[in-house]
Amino acid sequence: MQEAIILVGGKGTRLRPLTNHTPKPLLGVAGSSFIRHQIAKLMHAGVEHVVFATSYLAGLFEAEFKDFSQDLEISYAVEDVPLGTGGAIRNAGRLLRGGAPDAPVLVLNGDILSGVDLRALLAHHEDRAADVTLHLTRVTDPRAFGLVPTDEAGRVLSFLEKPKTAEECVTDQINAGCYVFRRSVLDAIPADREVSVEQETFPQLVAAGRRVFGHTTADYWRDLGTPLAFVRGSADLVTGRATSPLVGRPAEALIHPTAEVDPTARVTGGSTIGPHAVIGAHAVVDHSIIGGNVSVGAGARIHGSVVDHDSTIGGESTLREVVVGCHTHIGAQNELPAQLRLSCGLRIPARAVRITATAAACPTVH
Ligand code: GDD
Ligand code: MG
């Protein structure tokens, strides 16, 4: 029986306020929670049992899957205090069914959208009789990741998590957050304390001469841990640059059947429009995620942004790479700059924020 562990215990701080009430893997991406895309991919690769390593808002995972009726067994390894990525893998290992010490166990970070062929990764691991096999990918800026140089045979030479200096950036080849562990190697991770798989387990296995291999591919790959990456990943699934068994034919936008989009509005670039959302006349929604019950006023322009459920964007307001928390009201004719994150429940009056000049008269008498 092929089994997998998914690490989903992180707080998703870089995606706040979206993650204030919802763990990162349960956020909606191209019409389904992200974790459902991952589950579908695992089932497609023949996985029959998945263990979620949960911690932050753990109960919401069980709620999400309580009616799951497909042919997959799901278990929950809940950490009362986060055990770190290595501790979480070891803790989840207790719930695996296959007891054979050499059994290959898939381990996935819970925020990676990837086109890697999991069967090919498993075959790579078996062919080399590896202790651990890491999926690796190449990126232009590796600083936010784990650096993993390999030799000609693909054997991992070192593992350096989040390099601090330019000298430390010895390769553009990074840990793609998907591994195959030999069961006995996973069971040997200390169980009684917090352990980082990146900072402790991998460097120690390499230093001890264990058989740690990389499987480098050029498949689509994105970590959805930042707002911009999150909207891009969702848009890529809609437009077909990235694929998921849960997404149909490539499209310009994914509009929920209960949403109302004015015929003069333009919804483009792989945007998703959630249930009961209303998009007004001449509004533009591009490369964005619009949550359920959101209202976008006439002539508003939204680019590369996420608007969480039950929020209102006033007419002729402009949002560029902005994250809007749930139940937030943005009045008309605001112009919100990039990188802005608006807390849940916030109210911004009409014409309150602009990055270009404002023509509104000063209401204070001097
Ligand atoms: N259960 C549990 N417990 N899960 C955890 C914990 C924990 O204590 N800490 C983190 N996680 C989960 C997160 O929920 C996420 O799914 C995954 O572990 C990785 O954590 P991130 O916070 O997303 O890490 P990162 O993106 O900075 O770096 C990791 O991913 C990169 C690839 O995107 C590292 O593995 C890097 O080496 C890698 O390059
Ligand atoms: Mg991440």
PDB file of all heavy atoms in Angstrom, residues 73-103:
ATOM      1  N   GLU A  73      -7.875   6.468   2.318  1.00  0.00           N
ATOM      2  CA  GLU A  73      -7.981   6.537   3.776  1.00  0.00           C
ATOM      3  C   GLU A  73      -7.218   7.774   4.256  1.00  0.00           C
ATOM      4  O   GLU A  73      -6.112   8.036   3.784  1.00  0.00           O
ATOM      5  CB  GLU A  73      -7.374   5.265   4.363  1.00  0.00           C
ATOM      6  CG  GLU A  73      -7.661   5.103   5.821  1.00  0.00           C
ATOM      7  CD  GLU A  73      -6.963   3.869   6.397  1.00  0.00           C
ATOM      8  OE1 GLU A  73      -6.482   3.027   5.602  1.00  0.00           O
ATOM      9  OE2 GLU A  73      -6.889   3.792   7.619  1.00  0.00           O
ATOM     10  N   ILE A  74      -7.816   8.537   5.165  1.00  0.00           N
ATOM     11  CA  ILE A  74      -7.158   9.749   5.673  1.00  0.00           C
ATOM     12  C   ILE A  74      -7.019   9.628   7.191  1.00  0.00           C
ATOM     13  O   ILE A  74      -7.978   9.296   7.887  1.00  0.00           O
ATOM     14  CB  ILE A  74      -7.973  11.025   5.328  1.00  0.00           C
ATOM     15  CG1 ILE A  74      -8.112  11.166   3.809  1.00  0.00           C
ATOM     16  CG2 ILE A  74      -7.303  12.265   5.912  1.00  0.00           C
ATOM     17  CD1 ILE A  74      -8.935  12.370   3.356  1.00  0.00           C
ATOM     18  N   SER A  75      -5.804   9.881   7.694  1.00  0.00           N
ATOM     19  CA  SER A  75      -5.571   9.891   9.146  1.00  0.00           C
ATOM     20  C   SER A  75      -5.025  11.260   9.538  1.00  0.00           C
ATOM     21  O   SER A  75      -4.480  11.986   8.702  1.00  0.00           O
ATOM     22  CB  SER A  75      -4.546   8.824   9.546  1.00  0.00           C
ATOM     23  OG  SER A  75      -4.913   7.567   9.054  1.00  0.00           O
ATOM     24  N   TYR A  76      -5.152  11.583  10.816  1.00  0.00           N
ATOM     25  CA  TYR A  76      -4.715  12.897  11.304  1.00  0.00           C
ATOM     26  C   TYR A  76      -3.733  12.720  12.453  1.00  0.00           C
ATOM     27  O   TYR A  76      -4.076  12.104  13.467  1.00  0.00           O
ATOM     28  CB  TYR A  76      -5.932  13.708  11.788  1.00  0.00           C
ATOM     29  CG  TYR A  76      -6.952  13.885  10.697  1.00  0.00           C
ATOM     30  CD1 TYR A  76      -7.960  12.935  10.503  1.00  0.00           C
ATOM     31  CD2 TYR A  76      -6.885  14.961   9.828  1.00  0.00           C
ATOM     32  CE1 TYR A  76      -8.888  13.073   9.486  1.00  0.00           C
ATOM     33  CE2 TYR A  76      -7.807  15.106   8.808  1.00  0.00           C
ATOM     34  CZ  TYR A  76      -8.812  14.160   8.639  1.00  0.00           C
ATOM     35  OH  TYR A  76      -9.716  14.300   7.612  1.00  0.00           O
ATOM     36  N   ALA A  77      -2.538  13.244  12.286  1.00  0.00           N
ATOM     37  CA  ALA A  77      -1.544  13.239  13.367  1.00  0.00           C
ATOM     38  C   ALA A  77      -1.476  14.675  13.880  1.00  0.00           C
ATOM     39  O   ALA A  77      -0.871  15.545  13.245  1.00  0.00           O
ATOM     40  CB  ALA A  77      -0.194  12.784  12.840  1.00  0.00           C
ATOM     41  N   VAL A  78      -2.126  14.933  14.989  1.00  0.00           N
ATOM     42  CA  VAL A  78      -2.255  16.305  15.491  1.00  0.00           C
ATOM     43  C   VAL A  78      -1.118  16.603  16.481  1.00  0.00           C
ATOM     44  O   VAL A  78      -0.881  15.829  17.406  1.00  0.00           O
ATOM     45  CB  VAL A  78      -3.617  16.501  16.197  1.00  0.00           C
ATOM     46  CG1 VAL A  78      -3.785  17.961  16.631  1.00  0.00           C
ATOM     47  CG2 VAL A  78      -4.758  16.085  15.276  1.00  0.00           C
ATOM     48  N   GLU A  79      -0.424  17.717  16.241  1.00  0.00           N
ATOM     49  CA  GLU A  79       0.630  18.160  17.183  1.00  0.00           C
ATOM     50  C   GLU A  79       0.034  19.246  18.083  1.00  0.00           C
ATOM     51  O   GLU A  79      -0.369  20.294  17.588  1.00  0.00           O
ATOM     52  CB  GLU A  79       1.810  18.731  16.397  1.00  0.00           C
ATOM     53  CG  GLU A  79       2.450  17.732  15.457  1.00  0.00           C
ATOM     54  CD  GLU A  79       3.118  18.414  14.274  1.00  0.00           C
ATOM     55  OE1 GLU A  79       3.771  19.463  14.440  1.00  0.00           O
ATOM     56  OE2 GLU A  79       2.962  17.890  13.157  1.00  0.00           O
ATOM     57  N   ASP A  80       0.040  19.005  19.372  1.00  0.00           N
ATOM     58  CA  ASP A  80      -0.477  20.028  20.304  1.00  0.00           C
ATOM     59  C   ASP A  80       0.415  21.261  20.268  1.00  0.00           C
ATOM     60  O   ASP A  80      -0.065  22.390  20.319  1.00  0.00           O
ATOM     61  CB  ASP A  80      -0.557  19.466  21.725  1.00  0.00           C
ATOM     62  CG  ASP A  80      -1.575  18.339  21.789  1.00  0.00           C
ATOM     63  OD1 ASP A  80      -2.520  18.383  20.971  1.00  0.00           O
ATOM     64  OD2 ASP A  80      -1.400  17.424  22.606  1.00  0.00           O
ATOM     65  N   VAL A  81       1.721  21.022  20.216  1.00  0.00           N
ATOM     66  CA  VAL A  81       2.652  22.113  19.919  1.00  0.00           C
ATOM     67  C   VAL A  81       3.383  21.703  18.640  1.00  0.00           C
ATOM     68  O   VAL A  81       3.704  20.522  18.471  1.00  0.00           O
ATOM     69  CB  VAL A  81       3.695  22.349  21.047  1.00  0.00           C
ATOM     70  CG1 VAL A  81       3.119  23.144  22.175  1.00  0.00           C
ATOM     71  CG2 VAL A  81       4.286  21.052  21.526  1.00  0.00           C
ATOM     72  N   PRO A  82       3.623  22.658  17.728  1.00  0.00           N
ATOM     73  CA  PRO A  82       4.252  22.285  16.468  1.00  0.00           C
ATOM     74  C   PRO A  82       5.602  21.594  16.713  1.00  0.00           C
ATOM     75  O   PRO A  82       6.398  22.056  17.532  1.00  0.00           O
ATOM     76  CB  PRO A  82       4.453  23.627  15.746  1.00  0.00           C
ATOM     77  CG  PRO A  82       3.552  24.589  16.434  1.00  0.00           C
ATOM     78  CD  PRO A  82       3.377  24.106  17.832  1.00  0.00           C
ATOM     79  N   LEU A  83       5.828  20.495  15.986  1.00  0.00           N
ATOM     80  CA  LEU A  83       7.052  19.707  16.207  1.00  0.00           C
ATOM     81  C   LEU A  83       8.148  20.030  15.203  1.00  0.00           C
ATOM     82  O   LEU A  83       9.189  19.375  15.205  1.00  0.00           O
ATOM     83  CB  LEU A  83       6.704  18.217  16.128  1.00  0.00           C
ATOM     84  CG  LEU A  83       5.821  17.698  17.261  1.00  0.00           C
ATOM     85  CD1 LEU A  83       5.345  16.274  16.961  1.00  0.00           C
ATOM     86  CD2 LEU A  83       6.582  17.740  18.579  1.00  0.00           C
ATOM     87  N   GLY A  84       7.898  21.043  14.333  1.00  0.00           N
ATOM     88  CA  GLY A  84       8.855  21.307  13.254  1.00  0.00           C
ATOM     89  C   GLY A  84       8.626  20.288  12.144  1.00  0.00           C
ATOM     90  O   GLY A  84       7.924  19.285  12.338  1.00  0.00           O
ATOM     91  N   THR A  85       9.221  20.542  10.979  1.00  0.00           N
ATOM     92  CA  THR A  85       8.936  19.673   9.830  1.00  0.00           C
ATOM     93  C   THR A  85       9.404  18.228  10.066  1.00  0.00           C
ATOM     94  O   THR A  85       8.695  17.276   9.727  1.00  0.00           O
ATOM     95  CB  THR A  85       9.578  20.244   8.553  1.00  0.00           C
ATOM     96  OG1 THR A  85      10.925  20.656   8.865  1.00  0.00           O
ATOM     97  CG2 THR A  85       8.823  21.447   8.035  1.00  0.00           C
ATOM     98  N   GLY A  86      10.599  18.056  10.675  1.00  0.00           N
ATOM     99  CA  GLY A  86      11.105  16.700  10.933  1.00  0.00           C
ATOM    100  C   GLY A  86      10.292  16.007  12.008  1.00  0.00           C
ATOM    101  O   GLY A  86       9.892  14.839  11.855  1.00  0.00           O
ATOM    102  N   GLY A  87      10.016  16.709  13.099  1.00  0.00           N
ATOM    103  CA  GLY A  87       9.215  16.139  14.182  1.00  0.00           C
ATOM    104  C   GLY A  87       7.829  15.750  13.685  1.00  0.00           C
ATOM    105  O   GLY A  87       7.268  14.719  14.083  1.00  0.00           O
ATOM    106  N   ALA A  88       7.281  16.571  12.793  1.00  0.00           N
ATOM    107  CA  ALA A  88       5.944  16.296  12.247  1.00  0.00           C
ATOM    108  C   ALA A  88       5.960  15.021  11.399  1.00  0.00           C
ATOM    109  O   ALA A  88       5.028  14.212  11.462  1.00  0.00           O
ATOM    110  CB  ALA A  88       5.477  17.480  11.400  1.00  0.00           C
ATOM    111  N   ILE A  89       7.021  14.831  10.629  1.00  0.00           N
ATOM    112  CA  ILE A  89       7.116  13.622   9.780  1.00  0.00           C
ATOM    113  C   ILE A  89       7.183  12.379  10.681  1.00  0.00           C
ATOM    114  O   ILE A  89       6.467  11.397  10.480  1.00  0.00           O
ATOM    115  CB  ILE A  89       8.359  13.703   8.856  1.00  0.00           C
ATOM    116  CG1 ILE A  89       8.202  14.848   7.850  1.00  0.00           C
ATOM    117  CG2 ILE A  89       8.585  12.379   8.141  1.00  0.00           C
ATOM    118  CD1 ILE A  89       9.473  15.182   7.060  1.00  0.00           C
ATOM    119  N   ARG A  90       8.035  12.451  11.711  1.00  0.00           N
ATOM    120  CA  ARG A  90       8.194  11.317  12.630  1.00  0.00           C
ATOM    121  C   ARG A  90       6.869  11.022  13.343  1.00  0.00           C
ATOM    122  O   ARG A  90       6.461   9.866  13.467  1.00  0.00           O
ATOM    123  CB  ARG A  90       9.291  11.658  13.647  1.00  0.00           C
ATOM    124  CG  ARG A  90       9.426  10.689  14.786  1.00  0.00           C
ATOM    125  CD  ARG A  90       9.980   9.350  14.301  1.00  0.00           C
ATOM    126  NE  ARG A  90      10.159   8.433  15.404  1.00  0.00           N
ATOM    127  CZ  ARG A  90       9.186   7.648  15.885  1.00  0.00           C
ATOM    128  NH1 ARG A  90       7.985   7.675  15.357  1.00  0.00           N
ATOM    129  NH2 ARG A  90       9.437   6.822  16.883  1.00  0.00           N
ATOM    130  N   ASN A  91       6.220  12.067  13.800  1.00  0.00           N
ATOM    131  CA  ASN A  91       4.965  11.911  14.535  1.00  0.00           C
ATOM    132  C   ASN A  91       3.870  11.309  13.643  1.00  0.00           C
ATOM    133  O   ASN A  91       3.111  10.434  14.069  1.00  0.00           O
ATOM    134  CB  ASN A  91       4.534  13.286  15.064  1.00  0.00           C
ATOM    135  CG  ASN A  91       3.327  13.218  15.958  1.00  0.00           C
ATOM    136  OD1 ASN A  91       3.316  12.464  16.927  1.00  0.00           O
ATOM    137  ND2 ASN A  91       2.296  13.982  15.633  1.00  0.00           N
ATOM    138  N   ALA A  92       3.825  11.757  12.395  1.00  0.00           N
ATOM    139  CA  ALA A  92       2.829  11.223  11.455  1.00  0.00           C
ATOM    140  C   ALA A  92       3.150   9.770  11.106  1.00  0.00           C
ATOM    141  O   ALA A  92       2.238   8.977  10.826  1.00  0.00           O
ATOM    142  CB  ALA A  92       2.796  12.080  10.192  1.00  0.00           C
ATOM    143  N   GLY A  93       4.438   9.425  11.155  1.00  0.00           N
ATOM    144  CA  GLY A  93       4.862   8.060  10.835  1.00  0.00           C
ATOM    145  C   GLY A  93       4.205   7.018  11.728  1.00  0.00           C
ATOM    146  O   GLY A  93       4.010   5.869  11.315  1.00  0.00           O
ATOM    147  N   ARG A  94       3.820   7.414  12.942  1.00  0.00           N
ATOM    148  CA  ARG A  94       3.173   6.477  13.878  1.00  0.00           C
ATOM    149  C   ARG A  94       1.876   5.918  13.300  1.00  0.00           C
ATOM    150  O   ARG A  94       1.433   4.847  13.679  1.00  0.00           O
ATOM    151  CB  ARG A  94       2.804   7.188  15.188  1.00  0.00           C
ATOM    152  CG  ARG A  94       3.970   7.668  16.029  1.00  0.00           C
ATOM    153  CD  ARG A  94       3.441   8.364  17.272  1.00  0.00           C
ATOM    154  NE  ARG A  94       2.644   9.548  16.956  1.00  0.00           N
ATOM    155  CZ  ARG A  94       1.354   9.711  17.258  1.00  0.00           C
ATOM    156  NH1 ARG A  94       0.689   8.781  17.886  1.00  0.00           N
ATOM    157  NH2 ARG A  94       0.719  10.824  16.926  1.00  0.00           N
ATOM    158  N   LEU A  95       1.249   6.700  12.408  1.00  0.00           N
ATOM    159  CA  LEU A  95      -0.062   6.298  11.899  1.00  0.00           C
ATOM    160  C   LEU A  95       0.009   5.564  10.555  1.00  0.00           C
ATOM    161  O   LEU A  95      -1.020   5.194   9.990  1.00  0.00           O
ATOM    162  CB  LEU A  95      -0.965   7.537  11.755  1.00  0.00           C
ATOM    163  CG  LEU A  95      -1.216   8.314  13.049  1.00  0.00           C
ATOM    164  CD1 LEU A  95      -2.187   9.461  12.801  1.00  0.00           C
ATOM    165  CD2 LEU A  95      -1.776   7.404  14.137  1.00  0.00           C
ATOM    166  N   LEU A  96       1.240   5.376  10.044  1.00  0.00           N
ATOM    167  CA  LEU A  96       1.366   4.642   8.773  1.00  0.00           C
ATOM    168  C   LEU A  96       0.982   3.186   9.004  1.00  0.00           C
ATOM    169  O   LEU A  96       1.233   2.630  10.075  1.00  0.00           O
ATOM    170  CB  LEU A  96       2.806   4.743   8.239  1.00  0.00           C
ATOM    171  CG  LEU A  96       3.266   6.150   7.821  1.00  0.00           C
ATOM    172  CD1 LEU A  96       4.767   6.152   7.528  1.00  0.00           C
ATOM    173  CD2 LEU A  96       2.483   6.637   6.605  1.00  0.00           C
ATOM    174  N   ARG A  97       0.394   2.564   7.981  1.00  0.00           N
ATOM    175  CA  ARG A  97      -0.056   1.179   8.132  1.00  0.00           C
ATOM    176  C   ARG A  97       1.046   0.181   7.765  1.00  0.00           C
ATOM    177  O   ARG A  97       1.189  -0.836   8.397  1.00  0.00           O
ATOM    178  CB  ARG A  97      -1.244   0.921   7.207  1.00  0.00           C
ATOM    179  CG  ARG A  97      -2.360   1.913   7.381  1.00  0.00           C
ATOM    180  CD  ARG A  97      -3.461   1.354   8.252  1.00  0.00           C
ATOM    181  NE  ARG A  97      -4.537   2.315   8.355  1.00  0.00           N
ATOM    182  CZ  ARG A  97      -4.690   3.158   9.371  1.00  0.00           C
ATOM    183  NH1 ARG A  97      -3.826   3.164  10.371  1.00  0.00           N
ATOM    184  NH2 ARG A  97      -5.705   4.003   9.385  1.00  0.00           N
ATOM    185  N   GLY A  98       1.766   0.496   6.669  1.00  0.00           N
ATOM    186  CA  GLY A  98       2.772  -0.447   6.188  1.00  0.00           C
ATOM    187  C   GLY A  98       3.975  -0.446   7.124  1.00  0.00           C
ATOM    188  O   GLY A  98       4.645   0.566   7.250  1.00  0.00           O
ATOM    189  N   GLY A  99       4.254  -1.563   7.773  1.00  0.00           N
ATOM    190  CA  GLY A  99       5.305  -1.576   8.790  1.00  0.00           C
ATOM    191  C   GLY A  99       6.692  -1.906   8.262  1.00  0.00           C
ATOM    192  O   GLY A  99       7.665  -1.783   8.996  1.00  0.00           O
ATOM    193  N   ALA A 100       6.819  -2.290   6.978  1.00  0.00           N
ATOM    194  CA  ALA A 100       8.116  -2.759   6.472  1.00  0.00           C
ATOM    195  C   ALA A 100       9.168  -1.663   6.572  1.00  0.00           C
ATOM    196  O   ALA A 100       8.903  -0.527   6.161  1.00  0.00           O
ATOM    197  CB  ALA A 100       7.971  -3.214   5.032  1.00  0.00           C
ATOM    198  N   PRO A 101      10.358  -1.966   7.132  1.00  0.00           N
ATOM    199  CA  PRO A 101      11.367  -0.914   7.339  1.00  0.00           C
ATOM    200  C   PRO A 101      11.858  -0.277   6.041  1.00  0.00           C
ATOM    201  O   PRO A 101      12.304   0.865   6.045  1.00  0.00           O
ATOM    202  CB  PRO A 101      12.514  -1.632   8.051  1.00  0.00           C
ATOM    203  CG  PRO A 101      12.190  -3.072   8.087  1.00  0.00           C
ATOM    204  CD  PRO A 101      10.770  -3.264   7.670  1.00  0.00           C
ATOM    205  N   ASP A 102      11.745  -0.993   4.924  1.00  0.00           N
ATOM    206  CA  ASP A 102      12.226  -0.434   3.651  1.00  0.00           C
ATOM    207  C   ASP A 102      11.104   0.223   2.839  1.00  0.00           C
ATOM    208  O   ASP A 102      11.353   0.741   1.753  1.00  0.00           O
ATOM    209  CB  ASP A 102      12.863  -1.534   2.797  1.00  0.00           C
ATOM    210  CG  ASP A 102      14.227  -1.913   3.341  1.00  0.00           C
ATOM    211  OD1 ASP A 102      14.848  -1.051   4.000  1.00  0.00           O
ATOM    212  OD2 ASP A 102      14.655  -3.059   3.122  1.00  0.00           O
ATOM    213  N   ALA A 103       9.887   0.221   3.338  1.00  0.00           N
ATOM    214  CA  ALA A 103       8.765   0.762   2.556  1.00  0.00           C
ATOM    215  C   ALA A 103       9.014   2.234   2.217  1.00  0.00           C
ATOM    216  O   ALA A 103       9.460   3.003   3.073  1.00  0.00           O
ATOM    217  CB  ALA A 103       7.471   0.617   3.348  1.00  0.00           C
TER     218      ALA A 103
END
